[in-house]
């Protein structure tokens, strides 16, 4: 083992002001003015930033005019820090001069960008996400002093992490101290640090080549990006970490000598990388011999390993890697870690920064009624007359007052998103009327194209196992057919009906088996991109919430788009289902930590677990999370009433026509839209000099 001296002088440089970082070299000394003078007016933006930015971060402005990018992040105006100001308790003031339209209002938001000085690529690190953006009125005058504070609008602070635009996200998962040692170090607490390394070889024709720092420097520095590791300066990354625990479940910058990975810790390294193909990851392992040593000096460097990009065969997987001794450079042990690669969606043209609902939930939306698979599970109840997960089933739930409908989406063989729950289906081998014992063949749904699903006589899993077929009302009509396309569902349903879209993805169980019995064929990134393409194009102003039992799918949905919220579906403590191998969904507590860490909207909890311990509702609420619930226990009026009294935001259940207690059979979103329309009509009436009054019947009317 070797002991490394802390690079205290480098630590200060890592957090230095933009004026001394590589970003500043791309910014002229004279402040840049964005836009032109014709039909515009010059506006000086001033904003106070109360937190330190890293060396590669810079404030910017995005907004509703051309000089502010028309809400596209790539066209944002970058700001400069006022150099004459000394940092104090109130932070720094940043400024920019921009020509904005003279004869209309200008809306805008402040953004923290990661900026590559060479490519000038902008990464959205953090941005203001208030539902209504800041606004400069037509007759406003530029402020003489700084009045804006980053993230705070009208006294409310709302800042979210960005989403992937051209960069990628790499997560390395160290769960439960996954180390095996040749020497007697089992009781030693290991600290892990991961540093993205640049593999790109500088061109020999370049006049200047960035100096290559020694390996020792890269190990001991508090690195924030690959520039400090030498090589070509075009590659950069942000290296962060989160420990899923009650005390530290928010993503943060790595400490100089890493993060503790004990036998009870769930540690995820969160690495935002601009050049995925040319980035490797240096994993360093450190340890302190005693608590006294931890307080007095740096740790011992136990070992290391370089994770090269060619090891990432798919978007997710597990790696078993050797640990090389830092002193002797001989094998010291092994470590097993999981990885996740999140790539930006190819459908980013449908996203901008005008508005984001990723963590928005109106306080009035509580106790919502959500139709499970539309009008309910049709193959568990003998009296069901409508087939589940069909357009008819969804419409029927809406007609009986559902605020939202929940349904399952997966891909056909030709990558078309369709609505269906089970992973397996049965097809008939003989004529449709024959029902001999061996007439059925079991197949994964994903092995049939959309055309095959539509044309073949396909049976549900329950029918295949029981050898008893079911018939439903008007089964031959189009909207009663199984496997509707997601695009058709979005077109067919009233836009005021909210959608809870559950992404189906087979999970690995604790004993190592897959739910589906088969390994996944389609890569996760492609799978989600096919679904997001449809939703981003078709959903419009509809209230959409994504959910999934797979915590990594939830992470990917969160970072692939900036418009719709994501909720983590969980099993919790249960006697009804087998637990998953991934521990994050097996308890309410770890599910909450994961949701907070990845900035998800909330949790879809298993009602069985909530009824076992109702106090768990507070675990989510205290963290500001939205809480839905699912499960067969919900199919009871008494249980629904209890869950609403506990303050759940939504309850997913079958038979909306039987169990709902609504007097007005309309969704909360439709009622809210009607109220908004009434308010608008009132304002118009007042402007026109008309009187708005309430009639004797209680309805509101306009009178000339």
């Amino acid at each position: 083992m070797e002991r490394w001296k802390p690079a205290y002088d480098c630590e200060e440089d890592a957090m230095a002001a933009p004026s001394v970082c590589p970003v500043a070299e791309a910014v002229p000394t004279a402040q840049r003015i964005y836009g032109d003078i014709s039909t515009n007016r010059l506006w000086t933006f001033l904003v106070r930033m109360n937190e330190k930015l890293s060396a590669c971060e810079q404030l910017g402005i995005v907004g509703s005019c051309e000089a502010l990018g028309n809400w596209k992040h790539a066209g944002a105006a970058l700001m400069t820090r006022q150099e004459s100001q000394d940092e104090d308790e109130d932070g720094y003031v940043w400024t920019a001069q921009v020509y904005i339209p003279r004869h209309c209002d200008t809306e805008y938001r402040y953004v923290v960008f990661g900026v590559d000085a060479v490519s000038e690529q902008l990464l959205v690190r953090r941005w203001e996400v208030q539902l209504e953006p800041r606004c400069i009125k037509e007759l406003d005058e530029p402020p003489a002093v700084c009045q804006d504070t980053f993230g705070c609008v009208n006294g409310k602070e709302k800042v979210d992490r960005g989403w992937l635009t051209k960069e990628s996200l790499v997560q390395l998962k160290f769960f439960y101290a996954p180390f095996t040692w040749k020497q007697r170090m089992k009781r030693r607490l290991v600290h892990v640090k991961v540093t993205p390394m640049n593999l790109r070889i500088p061109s020999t024709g370049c006049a200047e080549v960035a100096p290559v720092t020694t390996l020792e420097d890269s190990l001991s520095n508090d690195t924030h990006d690959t520039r400090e590791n030498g090589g070509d300066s075009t590659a950069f990354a942000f290296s962060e970490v989160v420990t899923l625990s009650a005390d530290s479940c928010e993503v943060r910058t790595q400490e100089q000598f890493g993060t503790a990975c004990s036998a009870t810790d769930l540690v995820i390294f969160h690495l935002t990388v601009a050049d995925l193909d040319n980035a490797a990851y240096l994993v360093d392992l450190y340890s302190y011999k005693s608590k006294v040593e931890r307080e007095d000096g740096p740790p011992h460097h136990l070992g290391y390993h370089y994770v090269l990009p060619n090891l990432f065969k798919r978007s997710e997987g597990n790696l078993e890697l050797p640990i090389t001794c830092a002193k002797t450079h001989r094998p010291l042990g092994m470590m097993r870690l999981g990885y996740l690669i999140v790539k930006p969606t190819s459908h980013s043209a449908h996203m901008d920064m005008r508005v984001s609902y990723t963590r928005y939930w109106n306080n009035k939306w509580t106790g919502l009624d959500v139709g499970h698979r539309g009008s309910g599970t049709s193959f568990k109840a003998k009296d069901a007359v409508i087939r589940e997960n069909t357009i008819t089933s969804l419409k029927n739930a809406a007609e009986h007052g559902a605020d939202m409908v929940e349904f399952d989406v997966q891909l056909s063989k030709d990558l078309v998103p369709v609505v269906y729950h089970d992973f397996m289906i049965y097809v008939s081998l003989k004529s449709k009327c024959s029902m001999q014992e061996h007439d059925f063949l079991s197949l994964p749904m994903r092995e049939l194209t959309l055309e095959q699903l539509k044309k073949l006589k396909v049976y549900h899993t329950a029918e295949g196992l029981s050898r008893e077929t079911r018939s439903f009302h008007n089964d031959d009509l189009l909207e009663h057919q199984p496997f509707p396309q997601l695009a058709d569902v979005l077109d067919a349903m009233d836009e005021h009906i909210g959608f809870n879209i559950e992404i189906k993805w087979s999970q690995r169980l604790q004993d190592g088996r897959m739910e589906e019995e088969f390994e996944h064929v389609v890569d996760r990134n492609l799978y989600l991109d096919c679904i997001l393409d449809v939703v981003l194009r078709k959903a419009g102003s509809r209230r959409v919430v994504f959910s999934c039992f797979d915590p990594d799918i939830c992470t990917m949905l969160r970072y692939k788009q900036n418009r719709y919220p994501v909720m983590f579906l969980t099993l919790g403590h249960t006697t009804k289902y087998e637990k998953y191998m991934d521990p994050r969904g097996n308890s309410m507590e770890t599910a909450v930590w994961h949701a907070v860490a990845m900035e998800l909207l909330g949790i879809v909890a298993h009602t069985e677990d909530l009824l076992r311990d109702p106090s768990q509702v507070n675990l989510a609420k205290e963290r500001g999370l939205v809480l839905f619930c699912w499960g067969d226990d919900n199919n009871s009026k008494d249980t629904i009433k209890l869950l609403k009294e506990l303050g759940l935001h939504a309850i997913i259940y079958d038979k909306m026509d039987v169990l709902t207690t609504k007097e007005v059979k309309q969704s909360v979103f439709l009622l809210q839209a009607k109220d908004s329309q009434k308010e608008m009509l009132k304002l118009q009436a007042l402007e026109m000099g008309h009187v708005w009054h309430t009639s004797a019947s209680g309805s509101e009317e306009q009178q000339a």
Side-chain angles (χ1 to χ4, degrees), residues 365-382:
W365 301 341
T366 181
L368 302 191
D369 298 286
V370 183
H372 181 224
R373 303 184 201 174
S375 297
T377 306
S378 55
F379 291 93
K380 287 184 180 180
K382 295 292 185 181

Side-chain angles (χ1 to χ4, degrees), residues 174 178-182 185 190 192 283-286 301-306 320-326 328-337:
F174 288 75
F179 312 107
T180 55
W181 305 97
K182 288 187 175 182
M185 293 190 294
V190 176
V192 179
V283 179
D284 285 308
L285 308 182
Y286 299 95
H301 187 209
L302 296 176
Y304 63 91
H305 183 88
Y306 286 94
E320 193 161 1
L321 307 170
I323 301 170
T324 302
C325 179
T328 65
H329 303 292
R330 294 179 179 178
L332 185 64
M334 299 292 292
M335 58 182 169
R336 182 178 175 82
L337 56 100

Side-chain angles (χ1 to χ4, degrees), residues 3 35 77 83 189 202 227 317 320 326 346 353 396 418 446 455 472 496 507 516 529 542 610 613 676 686 692 702:
R3 188 154 179 158
E83 298 296 340
L189 178 61
R227 289 188 181 85
E320 193 161 1
S346 57
M353 303 183 76
N396 183 69
V418 296
R446 58 183 167 87
K455 290 185 176 180
F472 300 95
H496 296 109
Q507 297 296 288
E516 187 190 355
D529 285 351
R542 186 189 303 278
L610 292 181
D613 181 7
S676 297
L686 290 172
W692 191 277
Q702 181 179 328

Side-chain angles (χ1 to χ4, degrees), residues 468-487:
E468 296 180 1
T469 60
R470 293 285 305 276
S471 60
F472 300 95
H473 287 178
N474 301 316
D475 228 3
D476 294 331
L477 298 180
L478 182 61
E479 290 193 346
H480 290 253
Q481 293 291 306
F483 312 108
Q485 294 184 58
L486 175 60

Side-chain angles (χ1 to χ4, degrees), residues 633-649:
D633 294 302
N634 289 354
N635 296 323
S636 159
K637 285 188 176 182
D638 290 338
T639 303
I640 293 171
K641 180 182 178 183
L642 172 62
L643 293 168
K644 290 185 177 182
E645 289 173 350
L646 287 173
L648 270 78
H649 296 91

Side-chain angles (χ1 to χ4, degrees), residues 49-83:
M49 186 65 176
N50 289 330
E51 60 180 280
K52 286 186 176 181
L53 301 185
S54 72
C56 294
E57 291 181 330
Q58 192 169 355
L59 266 177
I61 321 163
V62 65
S64 60
C65 62
E66 184 177 355
L68 297 178
N70 286 320
W71 292 117
K72 295 293 185 179
H73 82 282
L78 293 179
M79 308 183 77
T80 56
R81 201 191 77 193
Q82 290 185 347
E83 298 296 340

